[in-house]
């Protein structure tokens, strides 16, 4: 078996000796030639560490077996006879040799000599080619003994068990220790045949733990299955040991076994039970892996006692360190562990502790300290030639620097260093049984979901335990991929959040089914990247949050942004929290609503034309708060007026989002904005119009805007203009005398017919016609109606299109889409229609355009049909309700809500429609009468919060 001798022990041995300890032998210990040192001595143990080894003394302290006092330096000629003939070379004689050798000389060793000796002595013993060809058992001259054990199994099982034990012991003392488990399995089988069930059960439990540590859950189940056949014959302590092993093995393999079940299994064991320490270690590390430190805090005394009682030999120190790291993380206090590490633990464990500490510091947001600890860990790992682990920690250092923007130089330098380390040789603080990441991916690609889950569980556990932080985040991301593939949405979301995969979550939000999202706030102590991902996700899925969770998020978001002045130093996390609050503001408590208004009261009191990243979120939040808390309505209206005076995109947003609220307080709008409108402020004038306030101060602005936008467009070859203000001007035109409105409408009609203009600009002209046309007399409406119907029957395409990029491999592409001008023209015509003949023409043309229409066209056509009297569509309601297009089903919902008695049970069917827009339309259109109770009861249980709110408050329109 390979051993690890400390540098201090090597210096003592070779610094006090010059030649072999065998009396009269002058063979040198180190051969030096051409500047190179080659150790030729071999280390012999005066007392063997193996129970069946030469001169084994069970009373000798285990922690001194590999220390200076128990070691001799012998040449290759004299080492074999000393070990093979222990009776000829007793301990007493070797101690005399030891004393004589210690007096051979006293010389300081160069570091190069120490390094050369250490490389040779601490490397695994080479496996002879003969062993490869003949096999381990034959190489160790154990073939006959093994054969006799198998031959005696049926007739003399107890003798067979003894022979199996001898073969296994020989293997365990050689480089082939891993082969011993198979032989031990034969020993257990022989003991069972001899009805030595207690001994066999204990051996099976030990073999089960060996299988577990080697990543073989099937092997564990085989041993547990054998034990189950004679479980009633076992002592209670062995039965408890088997139960503990079974739960540990099932965790991560069987989805029904939870970490709480793992904790209960540990609680059910006694400290004297076989495997108690193993079970404790698994529970402790898995509690860290799955972020359940509460389980460790509740058992901290038992675990601390267990760590303190661990022996001081290498396995005991390793066990103690692994427990101590987890307990330090659970308590959030690493002081005592870090301060004692270098005096208690060997260098490899000191490096491991530093890395786990660095990971913890990264998670709690202390990047400077984390970076230093990563450097300490990497330095220690390299010194111990743990190159694979050092490479993983380099990636952890890189992740810390990237996450916290501590970019000193090129971060890819760390990647190159990690690759160089990997190429120079392996070595890990906790070797993988097999490549866990690759196995997990392969099983996911093969859709072997249970196996993929097991592999990912092992991959994540190994990553966390070894402080492979980048691998840990990758593992969480792959867990998210796995759960998303099998539609375990809540678990997928949680793992994507832990991985900090904001973009993946935003994409996922668009494909989630209509079901409640159970993601709860993470807490202010969660890492920045996790909080960022969660805030961005909440903003996208606000409608699927249950009410209680949405309320919790509103408080969490407000807590994130409170107490920090709004300026350019706002972090990305705080901005995401601000926007997430805007998404859930309708569920904010009155106290939180008032706190938000106090926080943002002066955000819009600034110079015109300026921008803040919080503008859009503030408008949305303020309007929702004003709706949810009527007491705040006047403050919200005043805030929106402040936004209007900024006179840029935020003003447009305030008017679009807050139009309904402003229309409820026209006096406030008039008081705040009339003066600005009289001075030519366009957005202030627009606010007076949409709020229904006195429009006189806005007249000149409206006239100027109409005159400007009524001018013919001058097209310059090679140039294209995208985007207009025609929709806004259409609103302003509604306060002008009819003659000016007619002129503007005709100018917009000419713009619609202009094929040299971009299609979206022409759609803006259509929208302006819709707005101003409703104010015109019936004769002018008819003229516009006829022109629009004619256009819809023979639409003309624009000669220019704004957008490009159909190639999926194109790196740079944009496409704003081409509006369906014909369908939009039908919709505007329906708004202007006033006679039965016009209604029939709209209906007929809309039905003619439906075959082959895309989704945008269907939406426009549905809106057009909804604008005409429902009597014109009575015969088509059931057809619309069964149509695959969602907008026609929305139309059916609106029509059914006008006369539910004509189509019994149709409302219940629409209330269960798979598209939320249909259900929202139904909820919005239903009056509060008993005729709608059955559909209303279904909608009150809808997974979407917005639909439930509409049902409860009767808000919103299709």
């Amino acid at each position: 078996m390979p051993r690890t001798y400390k540098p201090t022990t090597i210096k003592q041995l070779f610094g006090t000796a010059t030649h072999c300890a065998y009396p009269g032998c002058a063979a040198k210990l180190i051969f030096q030639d051409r500047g190179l040192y080659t150790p030729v001595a071999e280390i012999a143990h005066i007392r063997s560490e193996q129970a069946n080894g030469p001169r084994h003394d069970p009373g000798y302290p285990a922690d001194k077996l590999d220390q200076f006092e128990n070691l001799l330096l012998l040449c290759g000629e004299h080492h074999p006879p000393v070990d093979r003939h222990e009776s000829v070379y007793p301990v007493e004689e070797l101690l005399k040799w030891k004393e004589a050798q210690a007096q051979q000389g006293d010389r300081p060793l160069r570091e190069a000599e120490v390094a050369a000796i250490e490389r040779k002595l601490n490397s695994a013993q080479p496996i002879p080619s003969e062993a490869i060809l003949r096999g381990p058992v034959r190489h160790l001259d154990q073939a006959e003994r093994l054969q006799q054990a198998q031959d005696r199994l049926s007739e003399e099982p107890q003798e067979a068990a003894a022979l199996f034990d001898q073969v296994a012991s020989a293997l365990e003392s050689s480089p082939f220790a891993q082969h011993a488990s198979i032989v031990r399995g034969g020993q257990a089988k022989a003991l069972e045949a001899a009805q030595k069930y207690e001994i066999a059960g204990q051996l099976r439990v030990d073999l089960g733990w060996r299988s577990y540590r080697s990543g073989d859950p099937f092997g564990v189940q085989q041993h547990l299955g054998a034990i189950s056949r004679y479980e009633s014959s076992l002592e209670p302590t062995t039965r408890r040991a088997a139960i503990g092993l079974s739960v540990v093995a099932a965790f991560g393999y069987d989805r029904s076994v939870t970490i709480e079940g793992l904790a209960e299994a540990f609680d059910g064991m006694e400290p004297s039970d076989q495997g108690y320490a193993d079970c404790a270690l698994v529970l402790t590390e898995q509690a860290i892996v799955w972020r359940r430190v509460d389980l460790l805090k509740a058992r901290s005394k038992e675990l601390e006692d267990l760590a303190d009682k661990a022996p001081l030999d290498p396995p005991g120190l390793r066990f103690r360190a692994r427990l101590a790291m987890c307990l330090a993380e659970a308590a959030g206090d690493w002081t005592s562990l870090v301060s004692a590490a270098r005096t208690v633990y060997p260098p490899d464990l000191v490096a491991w502790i530093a890395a786990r500490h660095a990971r913890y510091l990264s998670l709690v947001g202390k990047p400077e300290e984390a970076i230093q600890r990563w450097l300490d860990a990497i330095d220690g790992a390299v010194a111990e030639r743990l190159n694979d682990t050092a490479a993983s920690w380099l990636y952890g250092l890189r992740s810390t620097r990237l996450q916290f923007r501590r970019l000193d130089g090129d971060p890819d330098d760390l990647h190159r260093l990690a690759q160089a380390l990997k190429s120079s040789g392996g070595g890990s603080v906790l070797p993988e049984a097999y490549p866990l990441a690759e196995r997990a991916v392969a099983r996911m690609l093969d859709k072997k979901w249970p196996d993929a889950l097991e592999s990912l569980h092992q991959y994540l556990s190994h990553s966390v335990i070894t402080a492979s932080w980048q691998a840990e985040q990758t593992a969480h991301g792959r867990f998210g991929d796995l759960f998303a593939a099998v539609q375990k949405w809540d678990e997928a979301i949680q793992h994507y959040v832990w991985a900090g995969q904001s973009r993946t979550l935003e994409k996922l939000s668009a494909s989630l089914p209509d079901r409640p999202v159970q993601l709860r706030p993470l807490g202010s102590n969660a890492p920045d990247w996790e909080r960022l991902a969660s805030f961005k996700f909440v903003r996208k899925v606000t409608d699927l949050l249950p009410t209680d969770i949405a309320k919790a998020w509103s408080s969490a978001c407000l807590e994130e942004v409170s107490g920090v002045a709004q300026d350019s130093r706002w972090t990305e996390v705080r901005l995401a929290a601000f926007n997430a609050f805007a998404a859930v503001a309708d569920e904010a408590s009155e106290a939180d609503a008032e706190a938000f208004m106090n926080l943002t009261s002066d955000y819009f009191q600034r110079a015109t034309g300026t921008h803040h990243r919080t503008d859009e979120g503030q408008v949305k939040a303020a309007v929702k708060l004003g709706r949810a808390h009527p007491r705040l309505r006047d403050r919200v209206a005043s805030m929106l007026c402040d936004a209007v005076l900024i006179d840029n995109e935020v003003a447009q947003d305030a008017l679009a989002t807050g139009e309904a609220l402003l229309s409820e307080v026209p006096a406030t709008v008039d008081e705040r904005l009339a003066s600005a409108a009289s001075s030519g402020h366009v957005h202030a004038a627009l606010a007076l119009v949409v709020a229904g306030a006195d429009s006189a101060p806005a007249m000149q602005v409206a006239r100027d805007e109409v005159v400007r936008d009524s001018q013919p467009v001058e097209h310059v070859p090679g140039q294209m203009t995208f985007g207009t203000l025609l929709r806004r001007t259409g609103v302003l035109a509604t306060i002008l005398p009819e003659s000016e409105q007619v002129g503007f409408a005709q100018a917009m009609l000419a713009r619609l017919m202009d094929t040299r203009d971009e299609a979206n600009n022409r759609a803006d002209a259509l929208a302006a016609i819709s707005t101003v046309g409703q104010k015109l007399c019936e004769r002018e409406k008819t003229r516009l109606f006829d022109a629009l119907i004619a256009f819809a029957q023979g639409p003309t395409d624009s000669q220019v299109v704004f957008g490009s990029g159909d190639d999926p491999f194109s790196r740079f592409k944009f496409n704003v889409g081409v509006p369906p001008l014909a369908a939009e023209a039908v919709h505007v015509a329906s708004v202007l229609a006033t006679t039965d003949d016009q209604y029939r023409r709209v209906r007929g043309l809309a039905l003619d355009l439906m075959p082959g229409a895309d989704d945008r066209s269907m939406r426009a056509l549905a809106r057009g049909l909804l604008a005409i009297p429902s009597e014109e569509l009575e015969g088509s309601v059931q057809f619309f309700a069964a149509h695959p297009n969602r907008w026609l089903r929305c139309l059916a919902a609106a029509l059914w809500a006008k006369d539910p008695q004509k189509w019994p049970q149709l409302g219940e069917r629409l209330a269960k429609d798979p598209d939320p827009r249909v259900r929202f339309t139904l909820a919005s259109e239903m009056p509060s009468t008993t005729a709608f109770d059955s559909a209303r009861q279904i909608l009150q249980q809808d997974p979407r919060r917005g639909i439930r709110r509409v049902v409860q408050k009767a808000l919103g329109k299709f």
Side-chain angles (χ1 to χ4, degrees):
M1 294 286 291
R3 302 182 180 90
T4 301
Y5 299 103
K6 295 182 179 179
T8 53
T9 302
I10 292 173
K11 288 180 181 180
Q12 284 180 290
L13 283 171
F14 287 85
T16 59
T18 59
H19 54 271
C20 174
Y22 189 86
C25 181
K28 291 184 177 181
L29 306 177
I30 300 176
F31 177 74
Q32 181 178 0
D33 184 44
R34 302 181 186 182
L36 298 178
Y37 299 102
T38 305
V40 292
E42 297 180 3
I43 293 183
H45 284 72
I46 297 173
R47 305 166 189 85
S48 175
E49 74 274 31
Q50 297 292 335
N52 60 345
R55 296 171 298 277
H56 175 69
D57 181 359
Y60 194 75
D63 59 327
K64 292 186 177 181
L65 287 169
D66 285 336
Q67 293 187 8
F68 174 74
E69 294 80 3
N70 192 49
L71 302 175
L72 275 176
L73 292 178
L74 297 171
C75 64
E77 180 181 358
H78 291 118
H79 186 195
V82 167
D83 274 0
R84 291 176 185 173
H85 307 294
E86 57 182 300
S87 60
V88 177
Y89 300 98
V91 171
E92 295 75 15
E93 182 178 359
L94 296 186
L95 286 174
K96 292 180 181 179
W97 293 6
K98 171 70 179 175
E99 184 179 356
Q101 188 176 47
Q103 298 175 2
Q104 289 177 0
D106 187 5
R107 68 183 183 88
L109 292 181
R110 296 183 180 181
E111 290 299 324
E113 289 180 273
V114 175
I117 296 168
E118 194 180 359
R119 277 196 297 275
K120 179 175 187 279
L121 297 180
N122 289 343
S123 62
Q125 298 177 16
I127 298 176
S129 59
E130 177 194 10
I132 297 173
L133 296 174
R134 299 180 64 201
V137 174
R138 288 186 178 277
H139 173 70
L140 296 173
D141 295 327
Q142 297 294 319
E144 180 60 26
R145 183 175 278 113
L146 181 60
Q147 184 61 54
Q148 289 198 26
Q150 293 168 343
D151 293 342
R152 299 184 196 184
L153 184 58
S154 59
E155 296 180 355
E156 300 291 343
Q158 197 159 344
E159 292 181 12
L163 292 171
F164 278 125
D165 177 55
Q166 294 171 13
V167 176
S169 297
L171 287 167
E172 287 166 350
S173 301
S174 75
F176 305 101
Q178 291 183 340
H179 293 260
S181 294
I182 301 174
V183 180
R184 291 290 183 197
Q187 180 186 356
K189 188 175 180 181
L191 290 168
E192 290 159 355
Q195 299 185 359
K196 301 293 183 180
Y197 295 127
E198 181 63 23
I199 302 174
Q202 293 175 5
L203 182 56
R204 290 281 189 191
V205 169
D206 180 65
L207 290 172
W209 278 108
R210 292 190 197 184
S211 295
Y212 175 79
R213 285 188 286 269
S214 66
D216 179 17
F218 178 72
V220 181
Q221 296 306 321
Q222 283 186 309
H223 293 297
L224 290 172
I227 291 174
S228 67
R229 292 193 287 271
Y230 50 85
E231 184 178 0
S232 59
S233 302
L234 298 176
E235 295 293 330
T237 182
T238 306
R239 285 203 298 271
R240 290 194 299 267
I243 291 171
L245 171 62
S246 67
V247 175
V248 166
F251 183 66
Y253 179 81
D254 182 349
R255 284 263 290 171
S256 66
V257 178
T258 64
I259 194 166
E260 290 84 2
L262 186 59
E264 290 174 7
F266 170 73
D267 293 340
M269 298 180 71
E270 299 292 337
S272 58
D273 290 346
Q274 181 185 6
Y276 178 79
D278 294 297
C279 190
L281 182 60
V282 172
L283 170 62
T284 305
E285 292 184 333
Q286 291 303 319
I288 296 298
V289 170
W290 295 102
R291 307 189 182 202
R292 290 296 307 276
V293 295
D294 57 302
L295 298 176
L296 299 190
K297 291 178 179 179
R299 297 163 178 81
S300 59
K301 187 178 186 307
E302 298 96 313
L303 296 170
E304 287 169 0
D305 290 345
L306 190 59
D308 291 340
K309 293 175 182 177
L312 298 179
D313 59 358
L317 287 173
R318 190 176 182 84
F319 171 81
R320 176 184 290 203
R322 291 175 69 170
L323 273 184
M325 288 187 284
C326 295
L327 292 171
E329 182 163 341
D333 183 6
W334 290 75
T335 306
S336 59
L337 177 59
V338 170
S339 62
R342 292 190 179 276
T343 59
V344 174
Y345 299 106
D348 61 328
L349 294 182
V350 173
W352 194 353
I353 291 169
R356 284 286 294 271
H357 191 203
R359 171 189 172 273
Y360 171 80
L361 291 168
S362 297
L363 289 172
V364 298
K366 296 181 178 180
E368 283 76 18
E369 297 176 56
I371 289 170
Q372 185 55 54
R373 295 301 281 152
W374 282 123
L375 292 171
D376 293 342
I378 294 162
D379 184 60
V382 171
E384 293 299 306
R385 293 189 299 281
L386 301 172
N387 291 343
D388 287 339
T389 293
S392 295
W393 294 344
L394 274 167
Y395 284 120
L397 171 62
R398 182 175 183 269
S399 293
T400 299
R401 285 180 169 170
L402 289 173
Q403 292 285 11
F404 293 100
R405 307 293 193 269
R406 302 301 195 271
L407 303 178
D408 299 332
D410 184 356
D412 285 338
D413 281 346
L414 297 175
H415 164 69
R416 288 185 277 271
L417 285 171
Q419 293 302 307
L421 272 175
K422 287 184 175 183
S423 65
S424 64
S428 172
V429 292
L430 187 65
E432 294 178 307
Y434 38 76
L436 297 172
E438 290 81 352
R439 176 173 286 198
V441 171
R443 288 174 170 178
M444 288 176 65
L445 291 173
D446 291 339
K447 297 186 178 180
K448 295 180 178 179
W449 307 128
D451 294 338
L453 182 67
E454 177 195 350
S455 296
L456 282 176
H457 189 282
Q458 294 171 337
Y459 178 35
L460 176 62
S461 298
H462 186 272
S463 301
V464 173
I465 294 167
T466 60
S468 300
W469 189 30
Q470 188 179 61
E472 176 184 345
Q473 292 181 300
T474 300
H476 278 304
R478 289 186 178 151
F479 258 119
D481 296 339
L482 172 63
F483 286 125
V486 297
Q487 299 184 2
K488 299 289 184 181
W489 303 112
D490 288 329
E491 290 170 284
I493 291 165
Q494 183 63 76
H495 281 284
Y496 283 139
V497 167
W498 283 339
Q501 293 189 1
S502 301
R503 292 183 180 179
T504 303
L505 281 167
E506 291 189 63
K507 291 179 181 178
L508 180 66
S509 65
S511 59
L512 286 175
D514 268 354
R515 58 178 301 279
V517 170
Q518 300 295 334
L519 180 67
R520 293 185 177 275
L522 306 184
S524 57
N525 59 339
D528 284 359
W529 53 92
E530 294 182 14
R531 300 204 316 282
L532 175 64
S534 66
F535 288 138
K536 286 187 173 183
F537 181 68
V538 163
R539 182 186 180 191
K540 293 290 186 179
V541 298
T542 176
D543 209 26
L544 290 174
L545 296 175
T547 301
D548 62 323
I549 294 180
K551 290 180 181 295
W553 274 108
S554 68
S555 297
C557 294
L558 187 62
E559 181 182 356
E560 184 77 35
V561 302
S562 295
V564 181
Q566 185 217 26
D567 57 25
S568 59
R569 291 173 293 177
W570 263 39
T571 65
E572 193 177 358
V573 178
R574 192 165 290 119
L575 179 62
F578 191 96
N579 290 328
F581 178 83
V584 294
D586 49 0
E587 298 293 356
S589 66
E590 189 158 352
D592 282 349
E594 189 158 2
F596 179 84
M597 294 300 294
N598 292 337
L599 174 71
T600 60
S601 59
D602 60 348
Y603 281 16
F604 288 149
Q605 295 173 8
R606 60 180 197 254
T608 60
T610 56
H611 299 265
H612 280 173
R613 295 184 297 168
T614 55
D615 286 346
E616 181 182 355
Q618 184 179 348
V619 169
K620 289 182 179 179
V623 172
K624 287 184 177 181
L625 294 175
R627 285 295 180 200
H629 304 284
R631 189 175 64 84
L632 298 174
R633 186 183 61 179
D634 289 338
R635 288 186 65 184
V636 171
S638 181
M639 181 179 285
L640 294 177
C641 289
D642 287 338
V644 167
L645 291 173
I646 297 175
D647 201 27
N648 58 9
E649 289 83 354
V650 66
Q652 299 171 24
D653 196 19
L655 291 172
T657 306
E659 178 178 353
L661 189 145
L662 291 173
S663 67
E664 296 175 6
V665 286
T668 300
V669 178
D670 185 66
E671 179 184 355
R672 291 294 311 280
L673 301 178
S675 176
S678 298
S679 301
H681 195 292
V682 177
H683 287 104
L686 195 61
L688 294 176
V689 177
V690 300
D694 180 12
S695 60
M699 291 295 288
Q700 189 57 48
V701 170
R703 185 166 285 114
D704 292 342
E705 295 290 298
V706 165
V707 169
R708 183 199 65 205
D709 287 338
S710 296
Q711 301 301 314
V713 178
E714 295 183 8
H715 297 290
V716 179
Q719 294 183 12
M720 177 175 58
T721 301
F722 176 77
T724 71
L725 300 175
L726 299 180
R727 294 173 187 263
R728 185 183 76 180
T729 305
V731 175
L732 290 169
T734 60
I735 66 173
L736 296 176
E738 185 176 33
S739 61
E740 295 179 64
Q741 292 177 356
V742 170
F744 176 70
Q746 291 299 321
M748 295 301 98
L749 192 60
R751 187 85 181 254
L752 170 64
M753 304 301 178
D754 187 355
T755 60
R756 293 178 298 169
D757 204 354
E758 205 277 331
N760 287 277
N761 298 344
R762 298 167 69 191
D764 288 347
L766 262 176
I769 292 172
S770 177
T771 302
V772 73
Q774 297 177 64
K775 298 288 186 178
L776 301 179
C777 65
E778 186 170 343
R779 180 173 60 85
E780 293 299 333
K781 285 184 179 179
T782 298
R783 291 177 59 189
L784 289 173
F785 177 88
D786 290 339
L788 292 171
I789 290 293
F791 176 82
Q793 290 172 332
T796 53
D797 294 332
S798 291
Q799 297 174 11
V800 293
V801 177
F802 189 84
S804 66
D806 293 329
D807 184 356
F809 299 105
S810 175
R811 294 184 183 276
F812 308 101
K813 51 189 173 184
F814 58 92
N815 198 335
V816 296
V818 178
L821 294 179
E824 293 288 358
V826 172
H827 171 223
V828 177
S830 72
V831 173
L832 303 178
T834 57
T835 67
D836 291 343
D837 178 65
Q838 289 175 341
Y839 298 148
R840 285 192 291 273
R841 292 174 67 186
V842 168
R843 182 191 63 190
L845 185 52
L847 294 176
D848 287 344
L849 291 175
M850 282 182 184
D854 61 15
D855 191 67
R856 290 181 67 182
S857 297
M858 281 295 198
R859 183 173 186 269
L861 295 173
R863 294 176 67 193
L865 291 173
L866 184 60
I868 66 177
S870 58
E871 293 79 9
E872 297 289 337
L873 302 170
E874 287 181 357
S876 303
V877 171
Q878 291 180 311
F879 165 75
F880 293 150
H883 201 278
N885 185 269
R886 55 186 172 174
W887 301 116
L888 293 187
R889 300 200 304 278
C890 287
L891 174 61
L895 294 172
W896 176 85
K898 294 179 180 180
D899 195 351
Q901 303 303 328
K902 290 184 179 179
W903 305 281
Q905 282 77 52
L906 183 58
E908 295 180 21
R909 195 174 93 201
L910 291 168
K912 300 176 183 177
D913 193 273
D915 195 290
R917 296 169 183 82
V918 178
R919 306 196 303 273
F920 185 85
T921 301
L922 183 64
S924 302
E925 296 293 333
M926 289 191 310
S928 56
T929 61
T930 57
F932 301 92
D933 284 350
S934 59
R936 186 176 293 111
Q937 289 175 1
I938 296 172
L939 292 173
Q940 284 176 335
Q941 305 302 318
D942 197 273
R944 291 192 174 263
R945 190 165 50 87
I947 293 174
R948 297 196 303 272
R949 290 178 68 86
V950 169
V951 174
Q952 295 162 4
K953 297 184 178 181
L955 296 177
K957 295 292 180 180
F958 170 63

